[in-house]
Amino acid sequence: MPSINGTDIKKVVVACDAGMGSSVMLASQLKRQLAKNAVVVEHTPVNSIPADADVVLCHKGLAARARVSAPDKVIIAFQVFIGDPAVTRVVQVVQRGGELSG
């Protein structure tokens, strides 16, 4: 299972299936939360995860597809788009340091 230190995270990708609903809102929220940490946040289809992504956030139903698309990346699966503890953990690790694996 890949892991990364929060201080090494420079790009977070919110991967989705269809592409315009809740995942876009999550990406916007993360951009605001991580702006002070100089972390780029992008929204992308799960089958087109960019090679320079450090962490990929996706709904748990898409996690298997994300792992196929980006097998060497830290994949964090969540259940709800706003307020999910998995997403909160990513923000905390970027802001405070620590190890993130997934």
Side-chain angles (χ1 to χ4, degrees), residues 45-82:
V46 71
N47 295 330
S48 302
I49 296 169
D52 62 344
D54 296 310
V55 175
V56 178
L57 287 161
C58 65
H59 188 269
K60 70 176 188 166
L62 298 174
R65 287 175 53 195
R67 286 187 178 94
V68 169
S69 181
D72 60 333
K73 305 299 178 188
V74 174
I75 309 290
I76 304 297
F78 57 85
Q79 290 189 349
V80 293
F81 284 91
I82 303 299

Side-chain angles (χ1 to χ4, degrees), residues 9-12 26-42 90-92 94-95:
I9 297 172
K10 302 300 177 211
K11 186 173 194 175
V12 174
L26 175 58
S28 294
Q29 175 187 335
L30 287 172
K31 283 179 187 178
R32 286 189 304 275
Q33 290 178 316
L34 300 177
K36 293 178 185 174
N37 302 91
V39 173
V40 174
V41 179
E42 291 184 0
V90 171
V91 172
Q92 290 173 343
V94 169
Q95 292 175 341

Side-chain angles (χ1 to χ4, degrees), residues 14-28 43-45 81:
V14 179
C16 68
D17 194 20
M20 292 313 294
S22 301
S23 57
V24 172
M25 289 189 307
L26 175 58
S28 294
H43 178 261
T44 184
F81 284 91

